[in-house]
Amino acid sequence: MIDSRRVGARISELRKQQDMTQSNLAEKLNMSHQAVSKWERGESLPDIAVLPRLAELLGITLDELLSNDRESGSVYIGKLLKDLSAGQTAEAASFINTNTAAAEELVDIAPMLKASTLGQLTEKLEPGVFNQQFAFQMAPFLSKQSLDQIVTTVTEQSWEWETIEGLAPFLPQESLSRLVDGAVQRAVPAHRIVSLAPFLNQGQLSQLVRAAEESEFDLQMIISLAPFLDRQTLGGLADRAINGEIEGSLLLRLAPFLERDAVDRYAELAADGSIQPDLVLGLAPFISREGLGRLAERGLQGEIGEQVIVGLGPFLAREHLDALVRGASEGGRLSSNALVGLAPFLGQEQLVLLVQNAAASGELSPNMLAGIAPFLGQQILGDIISEMLSGAKPQS
């Protein structure tokens, strides 16, 4: 690979040997002195069209100018650059076809060439020039069409996953899919799947995930893939978490990407005790309105722990909260502690009704009133305290 800093240092040294200023050299090249300054600082390389004239002015060959070893230049770079700077892509291609080692030098000078020039050149190269390493190294400099041509021409049957990953950002999706299909028969490294995810369609990505399921899935990998997976694959992974095949906490991390009815089903399982009840609270933001209603009803029936019902409070609709308050007055099916826990999510009317019901059932203790007090209006709270002190039943 051509080192721009070495080339820049060589330009600077040879310019000084010629007793030229940067401005002198720039003028002879019809360039700005700022461009020459950037070359010498190693910030950029000269354009290919400028290189032959630059080497001539500095008194060296192109090979010597661009070689990393200042004592011996490349055998091929000079020839390639002369042909390509003159637009002679056919001549350059013929040279590479008869000197396959020159393909390595083409990789070195690729950053200096336009994609159109490289495209014209690769169209004229023989299939024997192409291999996986060549495609990998040239990918950033070729158009998608030209790279696709090379990848399609490579005769090696089995592409390495590392090479496929490196090519992914530069290939058309159809071409990338072909490579993945050909490699999927072998073991699929999990981290490669994550890297390829943004470039594959959902169907193919799901295929890769299924192919990798025989190996151990790490939690972070699955979470990273979740935004790219289809619903069926996500549901399968969630089921594996439910069944204890993979880490259970995965379910909460997948919840934002699951179908609502699937989340409702998992919440019901948690409520039944089939999986950890605490998962209900983690799933709460993603449970449907209907699912939350069913959980609230089960709370009133004593089928779900009061801690879970209180935790669901921020997500319950007004009608569900009303049902909880009404149910509390119909047999004390929720404790005073649970009702106090729900107080932040109730309106004034519900709170007053709650206090009245608790007082009527003899459950309105000072502690319960203290828990609800921050959410009552000052006037209402004063009336309730006065009536408690007088022994009268509180009125709304």
Side-chain angles (χ1 to χ4, degrees):
M1 186 67 66
I2 295 175
D3 188 324
S4 61
R5 292 175 300 176
R6 283 180 176 269
V7 173
R10 194 165 304 147
I11 293 172
S12 177
E13 180 181 357
L14 293 170
R15 171 182 61 78
K16 294 170 186 174
Q17 289 178 7
Q18 299 289 335
D19 199 24
M20 286 188 288
T21 66
Q22 287 184 345
S23 295
N24 294 151
L25 180 58
E27 184 178 356
K28 292 177 183 293
L29 294 169
N30 197 26
M31 304 285 292
S32 68
H33 73 274
Q34 290 92 342
V36 174
S37 178
K38 285 185 177 182
W39 300 341
E40 294 188 357
R41 291 198 303 268
E43 295 177 4
S44 65
L45 286 167
D47 186 88
I48 186 173
V50 175
L51 281 171
R53 174 61 175 160
L54 175 61
E56 179 184 351
L57 289 171
L58 296 177
I60 59 174
T61 66
L62 275 175
D63 298 328
E64 293 169 334
L65 176 62
L66 298 176
S67 172
N68 286 334
D69 181 357
R70 63 175 297 163
E71 297 300 326
S72 59
S74 159
V75 178
Y76 305 109
I77 284 181
K79 167 63 175 170
L80 289 176
L81 285 175
K82 285 177 182 176
D83 288 343
L84 293 174
S85 63
Q88 298 172 339
T89 54
E91 288 80 353
S94 176
F95 181 67
I96 294 173
N97 290 333
T98 55
N99 300 274
T100 53
E104 297 179 9
E105 308 298 348
L106 177 61
V107 171
D108 277 347
I109 64 174
M112 306 170 66
L113 300 173
K114 295 179 179 179
S116 58
T117 300
L118 284 171
Q120 294 169 17
L121 176 64
T122 54
E123 285 179 359
K124 301 176 177 68
L125 294 177
E126 295 177 355
V129 173
F130 303 135
N131 55 42
Q132 291 189 29
Q133 183 67 12
F134 181 81
F136 179 83
Q137 292 176 316
M138 293 291 289
F141 313 110
L142 290 166
S143 68
K144 286 191 174 184
Q145 182 179 0
S146 297
L147 182 60
D148 185 35
Q149 174 203 341
I150 291 175
V151 168
T152 303
T153 308
V154 171
T155 56
E156 297 168 82
Q157 296 299 313
S158 180
W159 284 75
E160 297 298 325
W161 281 109
E162 182 177 5
T163 305
I164 295 174
E165 180 186 350
L167 291 173
F170 307 104
L171 276 175
Q173 190 175 81
E174 182 180 350
S175 181
L176 177 61
S177 296
R178 290 198 303 269
L179 295 186
V180 171
D181 286 342
V184 78
Q185 298 175 1
R186 295 176 285 115
V188 187
H191 64 285
R192 301 294 184 201
I193 300 177
V194 174
S195 178
L196 288 171
F199 308 104
L200 296 173
N201 60 47
Q202 283 189 334
Q204 190 159 45
L205 184 57
S206 297
Q207 179 188 3
L208 285 180
V209 170
R210 288 192 293 272
E213 283 185 350
E214 297 302 322
S215 60
E216 293 186 5
F217 267 28
D218 83 63
L219 180 62
Q220 191 56 49
M221 188 209 77
I222 300 175
I223 294 167
S224 299
L225 287 176
F228 306 102
L229 295 175
D230 59 41
R231 300 294 188 183
Q232 182 179 359
T233 303
L234 285 168
L237 290 170
D239 285 341
R240 292 185 67 186
I242 292 292
N243 296 332
E245 298 176 31
I246 52 180
E247 191 172 339
S249 61
L250 170 68
L251 182 60
L252 298 182
R253 306 297 292 273
L254 292 179
F257 309 102
L258 295 172
E259 298 280 4
R260 283 298 179 94
D261 58 353
V263 176
D264 289 354
R265 178 165 61 88
Y266 298 133
E268 294 281 350
L269 286 172
D272 289 337
S274 301
I275 54 178
Q276 296 179 359
D278 287 349
L279 286 177
V280 177
L281 300 183
L283 293 171
F286 311 103
I287 300 173
S288 71
R289 183 186 183 94
E290 294 76 14
L292 287 167
R294 289 193 295 270
L295 291 173
E297 178 61 29
R298 296 184 65 179
L300 280 172
Q301 301 301 324
E303 299 175 8
I304 298 177
E306 290 184 343
Q307 182 180 1
V308 174
I309 292 298
V310 173
L312 291 175
F315 308 100
L316 292 173
R318 178 57 60 87
E319 61 265 30
H320 299 149
L321 289 169
D322 287 345
L324 287 171
V325 173
R326 288 196 305 271
S329 65
E330 297 171 0
R333 285 179 288 184
L334 288 178
S335 70
S336 58
N337 286 337
L339 294 170
V340 169
L342 290 171
F345 315 111
L346 300 173
Q348 288 287 302
E349 183 178 347
Q350 291 172 309
L351 283 169
V352 171
L353 177 60
L354 178 59
V355 172
Q356 288 176 337
N357 293 339
S361 63
E363 293 185 0
L364 186 57
S365 66
N367 286 339
M368 180 179 180
L369 183 59
I372 297 176
F375 310 104
L376 289 169
Q378 190 172 31
Q379 181 63 48
I380 295 173
L381 180 60
D383 292 344
I384 291 172
I385 292 174
S386 296
E387 293 187 18
M388 284 183 69
L389 292 175
S390 67
K393 180 181 177 180
Q395 301 294 321
S396 60

